[in-house]
């Protein structure tokens, strides 16, 4: 006998969306409703009272915590998550913690109430115990807590390797990478670890320059960039998240360096800011739409079925060629 | 005898924040708490039961509706509003409607419940009656509904004038301005009206090019920009919101136009995207931090005191010189 999950699978939606149609509770897009009604007919699905009652108590809202709303990576990710949730009958409550531990604690306290059905978190400043004790479905982005809290993250190790290869192909000898060496708990830090390892084993200097993770201050980045590049004219490559990468590109141009001939830039994240500049910035791209859909898939499975689909979902990553590095001339070998 | 508002005024916070301290309900930043306790002492304030009970039923959350989370103007504004609300003991629930009328209706329905104490709205697709009938405190951004619903907006008419003056100073003869001619209800549309009026009375061609208001698609903007500039080589100036302005700048450079000698760009909004480009883009700047603080001031007065501080708050606007136009050479006169 067909279950609600069979209907959901056939219609390619979440089970809770099917329930909303059955209970006529909450907005469901007309095309989605049609698909579900068609699947119900085809499968001869007969709803049972358990299924009917299953979602009556749901708030229909999922919160997402980000360190910063302006940061293009987080705003883009939030935008995709909002669309994905809405397709499945949920609304998004986006909250910014300013990457502040007290604020994060405060928001998590508020979210324990019945306002939301679950939380997707892009911040992780609290102690492991506080996340374990959180009394609602929780999915973490970029931070492993324990196997019971699903994590979705890009393959940051590969991301660092792709960037390193690009610097090698471009003939760089003295690369700086802009990171927060205190943010080692955040999985994206791994791109810096793998970048440095590969560059050094290919006899290329690789120096970490410190900034605060996910802070957002373009003028501050630009000031730092000018200072760093003026103090060391031998630097011929920079690896950084999109906004600091834009700042270093701008500083290099202002200091009359020829890009990419004398100075290469490889960004990390690949948001619209890397394409909207006059020069397209070469970038490692985090596949935000896939991260969003995996995060939503995981949170909905927890909320509706109490199920963990996957403890750790790794999303593939790729390099997008731009005008701030050289293209591969083929047959280049390098030490991994 | 001192009232809660006197204490609030002295401590430079909202009355509800004083109440939170009095009731010990909800988070108040330590420095803020100190200021309030000092003010209470200095004024010899004696709380009354009405004040004590006043905010016990509050959710402590205010929702903000935006057409798009990725759009840098809205994400920057949301960020400032979040900080301002938090200082006053409230949390922000940011919701995106994709500028879709059904979605806006759906979110407004959900927000009628007790989840939030009030709404700040940056979208206005619904009928006037629907906003008037909304059963919670509401502040609109950039759209006048009626005198009972406070509005906060930049002085867009002046914004258009400042931009027009810049094109005149830069010697432009054939300017295009990128706008949504169907979005006339939105107050920012006035900048296009005043720009066109001033340019035409100074014998400068001014043509509106149609795009959808607050859509966010850089690749789409770039495609449009290349098409428009290739079809009409006489165009020597463009006025647009930050992202389409970046697209036209990029297209002009790719078509080998010399900026600003042959082609000038004046953007509108003035977010970080106008400074993070290789060339600083000349821009009319909406003072986002002031808009945020006025919006919060208005919503909190409505929520705690049932008071309308101001039906219509107009925030000043200014032009920031960049590298995509010429600076004034002084003593230039132009027809207003």
């Amino acid at each position: 006998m067909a279950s609600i999950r069979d209907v959901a699978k056939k219609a390619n939606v979440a089970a809770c969306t099917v329930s909303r149609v059955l209970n006529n509770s909450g907005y469901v897009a007309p095309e989605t409703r049609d698909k579900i009604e068609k699947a119900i007919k085809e499968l001869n699905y007969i709803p049972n009272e358990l299924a009917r009652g299953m979602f009556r108590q749901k708030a229909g809202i999922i919160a997402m915590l980000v360190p910063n709303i302006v940061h293009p990576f987080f705003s883009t990710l939030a935008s995709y998550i909002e669309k994905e949730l809405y397709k499945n009958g949920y609304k998004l409550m986006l909250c910014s913690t300013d990457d502040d531990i007290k604020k994060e604690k405060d928001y998590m306290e508020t979210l324990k109430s019945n306002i939301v059905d679950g939380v997707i978190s892009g911040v992780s400043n609290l102690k492991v115990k506080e996340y374990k004790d959180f009394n609602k479905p929780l999915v973490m982005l970029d931070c492993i807590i324990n196997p019971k809290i699903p994590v979705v993250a890009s393959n940051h190790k590969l991301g660092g390797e792709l960037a390193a290869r690009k610097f090698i192909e471009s003939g760089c000898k003295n690369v700086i990478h802009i990171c927060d060496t205190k943010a080692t708990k955040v999985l994206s830090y791994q791109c810096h670890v793998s970048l440095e390892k590969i560059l050094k084993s290919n006899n290329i200097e690789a120096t970490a320059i410190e900034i605060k993770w996910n802070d957002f201050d373009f003028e501050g980045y630009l000031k730092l960039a000018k200072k760093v590049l003026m103090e060391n004219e031998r630097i011929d490559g920079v690896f950084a998240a999109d906004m600091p990468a834009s700042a270093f590109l701008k500083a290099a141009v202002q200091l009359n360096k020829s890009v990419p001939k004398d100075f290469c830039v490889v960004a990390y994240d690949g948001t619209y800011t890397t394409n909207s500049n006059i020069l397209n910035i070469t970038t490692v791209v985090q596949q935000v739409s896939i991260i969003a859909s995996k995060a939503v898939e995981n949170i909905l499975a927890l909320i509706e079925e109490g199920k963990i689909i996957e403890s750790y979902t790794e999303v593939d990553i790729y390099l997008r060629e731009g005008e701030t590095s050289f293209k591969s001339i083929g047959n280049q070998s390098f030490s991994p």
Side-chain angles (χ1 to χ4, degrees), chain A residues 130-163:
Chain A
E130 293 177 89
Y131 295 111
K132 284 166 76 170
D133 291 349
F134 188 67
N135 65 346
K136 282 199 184 297
L138 174 63
V139 168
M140 298 295 288
L141 301 170
D142 255 20
C143 182
I144 296 173
I145 303 292
N146 72 19
K148 294 216 165 100
I149 298 175
V151 180
V152 181
S154 289
N155 184 349
H156 296 294
K157 181 168 180 280
L158 175 62
E161 289 173 13
L162 295 172

Coordinates of all heavy atoms in Angstrom, one line a residue, chain A residues 130-163:
Chain A
E130 N 26.5 22.6 23.5 CA 25.4 23.5 23.3 C 24.6 23.1 22.1 O 23.4 23.2 22.0 CB 25.8 24.9 23.3 CG 26.3 25.4 24.7 CD 26.8 26.8 24.7 OE1 26.0 27.7 24.9 OE2 28.1 27.0 24.5
Y131 N 25.4 22.6 21.0 CA 24.7 22.2 19.8 C 24.0 20.8 20.0 O 22.9 20.6 19.6 CB 25.7 22.1 18.7 CG 26.3 23.4 18.3 CD1 27.6 23.8 18.5 CD2 25.4 24.4 17.7 CE1 28.1 25.0 18.1 CE2 25.9 25.7 17.3 CZ 27.3 25.9 17.6 OH 27.8 27.2 17.2
K132 N 24.7 19.9 20.8 CA 24.1 18.6 21.0 C 22.9 18.8 21.8 O 21.9 18.0 21.6 CB 25.1 17.7 21.8 CG 26.3 17.2 20.9 CD 27.4 16.6 21.7 CE 27.1 15.3 22.3 NZ 28.3 14.6 22.9
D133 N 22.9 19.7 22.8 CA 21.7 19.9 23.6 C 20.6 20.7 23.0 O 19.5 20.9 23.6 CB 22.1 20.6 24.9 CG 23.0 19.7 25.8 OD1 23.1 18.5 25.5 OD2 23.6 20.2 26.8
F134 N 20.8 21.2 21.8 CA 19.8 22.0 21.1 C 18.6 21.1 20.8 O 18.8 20.1 20.3 CB 20.4 22.7 19.9 CG 19.4 23.6 19.2 CD1 19.1 24.8 19.8 CD2 18.9 23.4 18.0 CE1 18.3 25.8 19.2 CE2 18.0 24.3 17.4 CZ 17.7 25.5 18.0
N135 N 17.4 21.6 21.2 CA 16.3 20.7 21.2 C 15.5 20.6 20.0 O 14.3 20.1 20.0 CB 15.3 21.1 22.4 CG 14.7 22.5 22.1 OD1 15.2 23.2 21.2 ND2 13.7 22.8 22.8
K136 N 16.0 21.1 18.9 CA 15.3 21.0 17.6 C 16.2 20.5 16.5 O 17.4 20.5 16.6 CB 14.9 22.5 17.2 CG 13.7 23.0 18.0 CD 13.1 24.1 17.2 CE 12.0 24.7 18.0 NZ 10.9 23.7 18.2
P137 N 15.6 20.0 15.4 CA 16.4 19.6 14.3 C 17.4 20.7 13.9 O 17.0 21.9 13.8 CB 15.3 19.4 13.2 CG 14.1 19.0 13.9 CD 14.1 19.8 15.2
L138 N 18.6 20.3 13.6 CA 19.7 21.2 13.3 C 20.6 20.6 12.2 O 20.9 19.5 12.3 CB 20.5 21.4 14.6 CG 21.8 22.2 14.6 CD1 21.5 23.7 14.2 CD2 22.5 22.2 15.9
V139 N 20.9 21.4 11.3 CA 21.9 21.1 10.2 C 23.0 22.1 10.2 O 22.7 23.3 10.3 CB 21.2 21.0 8.8 CG1 22.3 20.9 7.7 CG2 20.2 19.8 8.8
M140 N 24.2 21.7 10.3 CA 25.3 22.6 10.3 C 25.9 22.8 8.9 O 26.0 21.8 8.1 CB 26.4 22.1 11.3 CG 26.0 22.0 12.7 SD 25.6 23.6 13.5 CE 27.3 24.4 13.6
L141 N 26.4 24.0 8.6 CA 27.1 24.2 7.4 C 28.6 24.4 7.8 O 28.9 25.2 8.7 CB 26.6 25.5 6.7 CG 25.1 25.5 6.4 CD1 24.7 26.9 5.9 CD2 24.8 24.5 5.3
D142 N 29.5 23.6 7.2 CA 30.9 23.8 7.3 C 31.5 23.5 8.7 O 32.5 24.0 9.0 CB 31.3 25.2 6.9 CG 32.0 25.3 5.6 OD1 31.8 24.3 4.8 OD2 32.6 26.3 5.3
C143 N 30.8 22.8 9.6 CA 31.3 22.5 10.9 C 30.8 21.2 11.5 O 29.6 21.0 11.6 CB 31.0 23.6 11.9 SG 31.8 23.4 13.5
I144 N 31.7 20.3 11.8 CA 31.3 19.0 12.3 C 31.2 19.0 13.8 O 32.1 19.5 14.5 CB 32.4 17.9 11.9 CG1 32.4 17.8 10.4 CG2 32.0 16.6 12.6 CD1 33.5 16.9 9.9
I145 N 30.0 18.6 14.3 CA 29.7 18.6 15.7 C 29.8 17.2 16.2 O 30.6 16.8 17.0 CB 28.4 19.3 16.1 CG1 28.3 20.7 15.5 CG2 28.1 19.2 17.6 CD1 29.2 21.7 16.2
N146 N 28.8 16.4 15.7 CA 28.8 14.9 16.0 C 28.0 14.3 14.9 O 27.3 14.9 14.2 CB 28.4 14.6 17.4 CG 26.9 14.8 17.6 OD1 26.1 14.9 16.7 ND2 26.5 15.0 18.9
P147 N 28.0 12.9 14.8 CA 27.3 12.2 13.7 C 25.8 12.4 13.7 O 25.1 12.2 12.8 CB 27.6 10.8 14.0 CG 28.9 10.8 14.8 CD 28.8 12.0 15.6
K148 N 25.2 12.9 14.9 CA 23.8 13.1 14.9 C 23.3 14.4 14.4 O 22.1 14.7 14.2 CB 23.3 13.0 16.4 CG 23.4 11.6 17.0 CD 22.2 11.3 17.9 CE 22.2 9.8 18.2 NZ 22.8 9.5 19.6
I149 N 24.3 15.3 14.1 CA 23.9 16.6 13.5 C 24.5 16.7 12.1 O 25.7 16.8 11.9 CB 24.5 17.8 14.4 CG1 23.9 17.7 15.8 CG2 24.2 19.1 13.7 CD1 24.5 18.8 16.8
P150 N 23.6 16.5 11.1 CA 24.1 16.5 9.7 C 24.9 17.8 9.4 O 24.6 18.9 9.8 CB 22.8 16.5 8.9 CG 21.8 16.0 9.8 CD 22.2 16.5 11.2
V151 N 25.9 17.6 8.6 CA 26.8 18.7 8.1 C 26.8 18.7 6.6 O 26.8 17.6 5.9 CB 28.2 18.5 8.5 CG1 29.1 19.7 8.1 CG2 28.3 18.4 10.1
V152 N 26.7 19.8 6.0 CA 26.8 20.0 4.5 C 28.0 20.9 4.3 O 28.1 22.0 4.9 CB 25.6 20.5 3.9 CG1 25.8 20.7 2.4 CG2 24.4 19.7 4.2
A153 N 29.0 20.5 3.5 CA 30.1 21.4 3.2 C 30.7 21.1 1.8 O 30.5 20.0 1.3 CB 31.2 21.1 4.3
S154 N 31.3 22.1 1.3 CA 32.0 21.9 0.0 C 33.3 21.0 0.2 O 33.7 20.9 1.4 CB 32.5 23.2 -0.6 OG 31.4 24.0 -1.1
N155 N 33.8 20.5 -0.8 CA 35.1 19.8 -0.7 C 36.2 20.8 -0.7 O 36.9 21.1 -1.7 CB 35.2 18.8 -1.9 CG 36.4 18.0 -1.8 OD1 37.3 18.2 -1.0 ND2 36.5 17.0 -2.7
H156 N 36.4 21.3 0.5 CA 37.4 22.4 0.6 C 38.8 22.0 0.4 O 39.6 22.8 -0.1 CB 37.3 23.1 2.0 CG 35.9 23.7 2.3 ND1 35.5 24.8 1.6 CD2 34.9 23.4 3.1 CE1 34.3 25.2 2.0 NE2 33.9 24.3 2.9
K157 N 39.1 20.8 0.7 CA 40.5 20.3 0.4 C 40.8 20.3 -1.1 O 41.8 20.8 -1.5 CB 40.6 18.8 1.0 CG 42.0 18.2 0.8 CD 42.1 16.9 1.6 CE 43.5 16.3 1.4 NZ 43.6 15.5 0.2
L158 N 39.8 19.9 -1.9 CA 40.0 19.9 -3.3 C 40.0 21.4 -3.8 O 40.8 21.8 -4.7 CB 38.8 19.2 -4.0 CG 38.8 19.3 -5.5 CD1 40.0 18.7 -6.2 CD2 37.5 18.7 -6.1
G159 N 39.2 22.2 -3.1 CA 39.2 23.7 -3.5 C 40.6 24.3 -3.4 O 41.1 25.0 -4.3
G160 N 41.3 24.0 -2.3 CA 42.7 24.5 -2.1 C 43.6 23.9 -3.1 O 44.5 24.6 -3.6
E161 N 43.4 22.6 -3.5 CA 44.3 22.0 -4.5 C 44.1 22.7 -5.9 O 45.1 23.0 -6.6 CB 43.9 20.5 -4.7 CG 44.4 19.7 -3.5 CD 43.8 18.2 -3.6 OE1 43.4 17.8 -4.7 OE2 43.9 17.5 -2.5
L162 N 42.8 22.9 -6.2 CA 42.6 23.6 -7.5 C 43.2 25.0 -7.6 O 43.8 25.4 -8.6 CB 41.1 23.7 -7.8 CG 40.3 22.4 -7.9 CD1 38.8 22.7 -7.9 CD2 40.7 21.6 -9.2
A163 N 43.1 25.7 -6.5 CA 43.7 27.0 -6.4 C 45.2 26.9 -6.6 O 45.9 27.7 -7.3 CB 43.3 27.7 -5.1

